[in-house]
């Protein structure tokens, strides 16, 4: 389904240019990593819905294996299950420690779901072979055990490409758990499509009425128009497959793939262009002049490191006194904005309350941490730019400022994964010499979801106290208890976990920032050293060597993603 060939072919071209010109080894490493990531890239489509909505039956029908996934298993034993194509059939069980245990299909029924993160079914199926770049994920029911649901959702927030929601026709409407989850996933910028399942259980006119009702409810909750179709496992297979395939293709897996890898490809192309230009300019220099250029590069690297370390002290202060505070305020505002709903949830029981709490907190933590981490690194990089006052950096400061402005214009677009878009009006040298600046910003915008592995477990005494609280107070009094006692205790419990995760992400970004600064300078040093080594042969074959390098530059210009 995915067209990876043009990307892999371009990587082969980049690899041959790199080897032909003995460019810096970091370029070769980037090519190898990108090739590996492209070959392993998979689109994950998550099937969601309440317990008994027909998710497992949907997959069984689609892959023409009625007995593969156990239907109507108890909600408390459910676990996220990936379904992928393989010539050999078996199940991988991923433990809580990320170890892998291989078992047969029949042994799955004896597993304890609490011991595993998720399962991966390897299935020989003609349909799965046809969509071999897509993995279907059967998610735990939205009304299943809250810990299992949290465990599954936390793992797939960053890995899922889109959601297929199944709503049983016999429900007639969206239940509270489903509405809560729709409100949550609309904040993750991932697609949603919906099937009204079990449509064979009602008369056609009643099915149409249910479909219209669910369509109206979903589109009132979701920011985008959501397509709603009816489906039944009793339908003719070709008709069923056509509907399912249309839903999978609606997420545009190819565009998701393009967004994922365009930035990495462009970075390699730009590094090679800069290295070749450095080689060409070095051909005009004598050995002493090349040595001076190398010394200048090393001196600039040390200066940049010194400036960066100075700014990192301010970053630490900013994190401790601003970023954490703003995340906590976002969390408080989200919870206090839902006081009435939380009060109603308490009256329904502690499971309903915990489910609502999680659906409120998860997207706030993810979006808030990404927003404030990105902003803090933007400020850091702008300060580094402003501090380029000594003469050795004068030629680059204006270009860096221009690149930063371009990034700001594009940072809220739908193509952040492509990284920073560089204007062609800026010289290649100025674009690339300190390309680490813009690369680091790109990293900051695509920081790994900081709570992917954070299962939100609140103070046991809070949840245990709920059953007693609602019996003791009238609703208005209970509302006050939620606002002034329960919410503060939840904040007190969750903030230390957030602080730890944010601190980890800060260190990852700092390491990446330093790495990106060094990559561009190291690429220049390698090119200069190679030029010095080959100086005599370049002199002997000057015109031929110059033409070869210009030809490679022109070849780089023809690479499209």
């Amino acid at each position: 389904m995915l067209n990876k060939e043009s990307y892999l072919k371009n990587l082969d071209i980049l690899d041959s240019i790199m080897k032909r010109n003995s460019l810096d080894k970091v370029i070769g490493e980037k090519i190898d990593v990108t090739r590996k990531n492209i070959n392993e890239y998979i689109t994950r489509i998550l099937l969601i819905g309440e317990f008994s909505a027909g998710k497992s039956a949907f997959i069984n029908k689609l892959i023409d294996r009625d007995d593969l996934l156990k239907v109507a298993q108890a909600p408390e034993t459910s676990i996220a299950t990936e379904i992928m194509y393989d010539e050999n059939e078996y199940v991988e069980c991923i433990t809580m420690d990320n170890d892998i245990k291989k078992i047969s299909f029949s042994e799955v029924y004896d597993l304890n779901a609490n011991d595993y993160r998720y399962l991966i079914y390897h299935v020989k199926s003609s349909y799965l072979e046809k969509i071999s770049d897509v993995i279907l994920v059967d998610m735990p029911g939205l009304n299943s055990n809250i810990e299992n649901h949290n465990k599954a959702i936390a793992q797939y927030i960053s890995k899922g490409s889109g959601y297929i929601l199944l709503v049983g026709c016999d429900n007639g409407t969206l239940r509270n758990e489903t509405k809560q989850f729709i409100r949550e996933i609309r904040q993750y910028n991932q697609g949603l499509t919906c099937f009204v399942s079990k449509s064979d259980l009602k008369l056609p006119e009643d099915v149409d009425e249910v479909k219209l009702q669910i369509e109206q409810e979903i589109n009132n909750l979701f920011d985008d128009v959501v397509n709603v179709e009816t489906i039944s496992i009793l339908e003719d297979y070709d008709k069923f497959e056509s509907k399912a395939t249309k839903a999978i293709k609606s997420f545009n897996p190819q565009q998701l793939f393009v967004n994922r890898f365009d930035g990495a490809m462009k970075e390699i192309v730009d590094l090679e262009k800069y290295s070749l230009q450095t080689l060409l300019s070095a051909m005009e220099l004598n050995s002493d002049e090349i040595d001076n250029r190398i010394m200048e590069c090393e001196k600039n690297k040390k200066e940049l490191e010194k400036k960066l370390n100075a700014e990192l002290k301010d970053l630490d202060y900013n994190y401790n006194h601003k970023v954490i505070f703003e995340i906590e305020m976002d969390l408080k505002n989200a919870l206090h904005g839902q006081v009435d709903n939380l009060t109603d949830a308490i009256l329904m029981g502690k499971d309903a309350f915990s489910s609502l709490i999680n659906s409120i907190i998860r997207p706030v933590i993810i979006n808030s941490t990404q927003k404030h981490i990105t902003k803090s690194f933007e400020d850091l990089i702008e300060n580094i730019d402003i501090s380029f006052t000594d003469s050795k950096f004068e030629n680059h400061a204006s270009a860096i400022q221009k690149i930063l402005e371009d990034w700001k214009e594009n940072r809220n677009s739908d193509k952040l994964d492509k990284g920073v878009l560089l204007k062609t009006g800026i010289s290649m040298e100025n674009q690339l010499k300190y390309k680490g600046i813009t690369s680091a910003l790109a990293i900051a915008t695509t920081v790994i979801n900081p709570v992917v592995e954070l299962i939100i477990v609140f103070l046991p005494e809070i949840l245990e106290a709920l059953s007693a609280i609602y019996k003791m107070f009238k609703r208005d009094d209970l509302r006050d208890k939620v606002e002034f006692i329960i919410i503060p205790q939840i904040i007190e419990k969750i903030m230390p976990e957030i602080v730890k995760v944010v601190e980890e992400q800060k260190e990852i970004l700092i390491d990446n920032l330093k790495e990106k600064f060094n990559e561009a300078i190291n690429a220049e040093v390698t090119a200069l050293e190679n030029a010095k080594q080959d100086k005599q042969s370049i002199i002997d074959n000057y015109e031929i060597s110059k033409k070869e390098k210009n030809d490679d530059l022109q070849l780089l210009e023809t690479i499209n993603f």
Side-chain angles (χ1 to χ4, degrees):
M1 182 176 283
L2 291 180
N3 179 15
K4 301 179 179 180
E5 292 308 311
S6 62
Y7 282 73
L8 294 172
K9 182 179 178 181
N10 284 335
L11 283 174
D12 289 341
I13 294 172
L14 291 167
D15 193 44
S16 65
I17 292 174
M18 184 270 300
K19 290 174 179 175
R20 186 160 57 243
N21 294 280
S22 301
L23 304 183
D24 190 65
K25 67 179 182 179
V26 74
I27 297 175
E29 291 168 358
K30 284 180 178 294
I31 291 171
D32 291 341
V33 168
T34 304
R35 183 185 286 114
K36 180 176 182 290
N37 289 340
I38 286 175
N39 282 323
E40 294 178 354
Y41 179 81
I42 291 289
T43 301
R44 286 179 172 83
I45 306 298
L46 278 52
L47 273 74
I48 60 172
E50 294 183 7
F51 168 65
S52 79
K55 301 185 301 298
S56 299
F58 178 96
I59 292 176
N60 286 344
K61 172 80 174 183
L62 190 57
I63 62 177
D64 201 19
R65 295 281 290 271
D66 292 340
D67 60 343
L68 182 68
L69 298 180
K70 190 175 181 180
V71 177
Q73 59 182 329
E76 65 272 12
T77 62
S78 57
I79 183 172
T81 303
E82 298 188 0
I83 316 294
M84 65 180 294
Y85 175 77
D86 200 328
E87 283 289 322
N88 302 308
E89 296 198 326
Y90 60 95
V91 179
E92 288 181 287
C93 310
I94 314 302
T95 70
M96 303 306 289
D97 295 326
N98 287 318
D99 293 328
I100 299 176
K101 173 184 177 182
K102 290 186 179 181
I103 62 174
S104 65
F105 290 169
S106 61
E107 293 175 290
V108 171
Y109 304 128
D110 298 325
L111 292 178
N112 181 349
N114 295 325
D115 294 337
Y116 299 95
R117 291 181 179 275
Y118 58 96
L119 307 179
I120 305 175
Y121 274 69
H122 294 253
V123 185
K124 187 175 182 179
S125 156
S126 58
Y127 183 77
L128 292 176
E129 185 177 18
K130 188 166 63 175
I131 60 163
S132 58
D133 290 314
V134 174
I135 287 180
L136 302 175
V137 186
D138 185 5
M139 297 290 285
L142 297 177
N143 52 342
S144 65
N145 173 280
I146 188 65
E147 185 175 345
N148 285 342
H149 179 63
N150 282 344
K151 182 169 65 177
I153 293 302
Q155 291 175 103
Y156 286 98
I157 285 172
S158 63
K159 294 195 291 186
S161 302
Y163 296 86
I164 295 178
L165 170 65
L166 272 73
V167 181
C169 191
D170 48 335
N171 286 355
T173 185
L174 298 179
R175 291 180 177 166
N176 284 335
E177 292 89 351
T178 304
K179 289 180 179 179
Q180 288 170 18
F181 193 68
I182 291 172
R183 291 189 187 99
E184 179 179 346
I185 63 176
R186 72 182 178 185
Q187 301 183 59
Y188 298 148
N189 196 27
Q190 294 170 331
L192 174 67
T193 190
C194 176
F195 283 117
V196 178
S197 59
K198 304 180 181 180
S199 58
D200 54 283
L201 297 180
K202 288 181 177 288
L203 296 171
E205 56 269 26
D206 294 333
V207 172
D208 290 340
E209 186 176 334
V210 171
K211 176 179 177 289
L212 181 61
Q213 172 68 24
I214 290 174
E215 201 168 45
Q216 290 173 343
E217 290 179 344
I218 288 180
N219 286 298
N220 285 337
L221 294 168
F222 207 68
D223 291 336
D224 202 358
V225 176
V226 177
N227 186 54
V228 179
E229 298 288 346
T230 61
I231 202 164
S232 167
I233 60 172
L234 299 183
E235 290 176 353
D236 172 80
Y237 179 80
D238 290 341
K239 181 179 180 182
F240 186 96
E241 185 208 32
S242 175
K243 288 182 179 180
T245 302
K246 181 181 177 182
I248 292 170
K249 288 184 176 179
S250 71
F251 299 110
N252 199 347
Q254 185 64 38
Q255 189 58 51
L256 293 171
F257 171 81
V258 168
N259 291 348
R260 168 70 174 79
F261 290 105
D262 267 15
M265 296 289 290
K266 188 179 190 324
E267 184 176 352
I268 296 170
V269 169
D270 287 346
L271 277 172
E272 290 202 356
K273 285 181 181 178
Y274 181 50
S275 297
L276 285 172
Q277 288 184 338
T278 301
L279 279 169
L280 282 167
S281 65
M283 291 172 65
E284 310 295 334
L285 305 175
N286 60 41
S287 295
D288 289 341
E289 289 171 327
I290 292 175
D291 283 338
N292 289 335
R293 283 275 299 274
I294 292 173
M295 289 175 60
E296 182 184 343
C297 286
E298 295 295 345
K299 194 183 299 183
N300 286 353
K301 187 194 294 186
K302 290 178 182 178
E303 287 293 327
L304 279 172
E305 188 174 348
K306 193 187 303 182
K307 292 175 184 294
L308 180 58
N309 288 335
E311 293 297 335
L312 289 178
K313 293 179 182 178
D314 290 338
L315 181 69
D316 282 335
Y317 181 87
N318 190 31
Y319 259 67
N320 294 331
H321 293 82
K322 188 175 180 182
V323 172
I324 298 300
F325 171 77
E326 289 176 342
I327 292 172
E328 183 174 353
M329 288 304 299
D330 288 346
L331 201 54
K332 286 179 179 178
N333 291 337
L335 288 169
H336 283 292
Q338 296 277 355
V339 169
D340 288 324
N341 289 332
L342 288 169
T343 303
D344 292 337
I346 286 180
L347 296 172
M348 295 170 63
K350 66 179 184 180
D351 285 344
F353 177 76
S354 186
S355 176
L356 179 57
I357 283 287
N358 278 273
S359 68
I360 294 170
I361 285 179
R362 255 192 311 265
V364 171
I365 292 175
I366 291 170
N367 294 333
S368 179
T369 51
Q370 286 182 333
K371 177 177 70 176
H372 296 305
I373 287 173
T374 300
K375 181 63 170 65
S376 67
F377 269 79
E378 176 189 340
D379 292 343
L380 164 72
I381 290 163
E382 286 208 31
N383 288 337
I384 292 174
D385 171 32
I386 291 168
S387 68
F388 285 158
T389 53
D390 49 69
S391 59
K392 66 173 67 68
F393 294 120
E394 281 180 359
N395 294 332
H396 309 290
S398 61
I400 291 169
Q401 186 63 43
K402 178 63 175 171
I403 292 170
L404 286 167
E405 289 170 2
D406 293 339
W407 177 79
K408 290 173 197 171
E409 291 175 7
N410 290 286
R411 71 174 186 260
N412 293 320
S413 73
D414 292 332
K415 297 183 178 179
L416 280 175
D417 283 343
K418 291 190 175 185
V420 185
L421 305 178
L422 304 179
K423 299 283 188 183
T424 55
I426 305 172
S427 72
M428 179 58 65
E429 181 179 3
N430 283 348
Q431 282 185 2
L432 285 169
K433 191 151 190 175
Y434 301 106
K435 193 175 185 296
I437 289 175
T438 52
S439 297
L441 282 175
I443 292 168
T445 62
T446 56
V447 62
I448 300 169
N449 288 325
V451 288
V452 166
E453 294 298 328
L454 178 61
I455 306 299
I456 301 171
V457 179
F458 300 106
L459 292 172
E461 55 266 30
I462 295 179
L463 299 179
E464 290 302 322
L466 295 180
S467 57
I469 287 177
Y470 77 81
K471 294 175 183 176
M472 295 169 54
F473 299 100
K474 294 180 180 179
R475 189 188 185 285
D476 288 345
D477 293 333
L478 180 58
R479 186 187 187 282
D480 289 341
K481 299 297 179 185
V482 171
E483 185 167 12
F484 299 113
I485 296 177
I486 294 176
I487 288 178
Q489 287 188 53
I490 291 171
I491 298 292
E492 182 183 0
K493 171 66 179 177
I494 202 68
M495 280 310 299
E497 298 299 323
I498 293 175
V499 170
K500 283 193 290 187
V501 172
V502 168
E503 189 66 27
E504 289 171 4
Q505 291 304 315
K506 182 188 75 173
E507 294 304 319
I508 291 171
L509 285 169
I510 289 171
D511 289 343
N512 275 283
L513 179 61
K514 290 179 177 178
E515 180 185 341
K516 296 298 178 182
F517 272 129
N518 289 331
E519 278 177 3
I521 295 179
N522 287 342
E524 180 178 5
V525 170
T526 299
L528 289 167
E529 288 174 343
N530 289 340
K532 183 181 177 182
Q533 277 185 351
D534 298 338
K535 189 67 183 174
Q536 188 57 48
S537 62
I538 289 174
I539 292 171
D540 295 340
N541 304 281
Y542 179 83
E543 292 301 330
I544 295 174
S545 179
K546 187 173 181 179
K547 182 179 185 305
E548 287 173 348
K549 287 170 176 52
N550 278 312
D551 287 346
D552 280 340
L553 274 174
Q554 290 178 12
L555 181 57
L556 288 171
E557 294 292 344
T558 66
I559 291 180
N560 296 310
F561 326 121

